[in-house]
Amino acid sequence: MKSTLNIEFSGKSVESKEIIAAAKKVWVDAGNKDRKVKDLAQLDLYIKPEEGKVYYVFNDEESGSFPLYE
């Protein structure tokens, strides 16, 4: 089964795969080139479109946020 999840709010739209890719980039970039996506065992995302942010928790250890919309 193929599925797609889109988040739309206030005239803006973003697809879930874009959000996941952005989170993986945050993970890799925060590791000063020592990290690889394969090292990310757990990724929890919390989307708050009214704030325009995605909150993340990496491997139950690191947390933060990044913009939902570019």
Side-chain angles (χ1 to χ4, degrees):
M1 172 181 77
K2 181 180 177 183
S3 62
T4 303
L5 173 65
N6 293 293
I7 291 100
E8 294 184 357
F9 185 78
S10 190
K12 297 179 181 178
S13 178
V14 63
E15 193 172 339
S16 61
K17 68 181 180 181
E18 295 171 27
I19 297 168
I20 293 168
K24 289 177 180 178
K25 184 176 181 342
V26 168
W27 163 259
V28 170
D29 290 350
N32 299 320
K33 300 183 182 181
D34 293 335
R35 288 185 179 169
K36 307 229 181 308
V37 172
K38 67 179 183 171
D39 299 325
L40 184 56
Q42 184 173 343
L43 171 61
D44 298 312
L45 299 174
Y46 305 88
I47 299 166
K48 294 193 80 176
E50 68 276 11
E51 293 179 11
K53 291 193 172 218
V54 177
Y55 293 89
Y56 61 82
V57 179
F58 297 140
N59 295 335
D60 281 332
E61 296 176 359
E62 295 178 46
S63 61
S65 68
F66 59 88
L68 175 58
Y69 308 108
E70 297 283 327

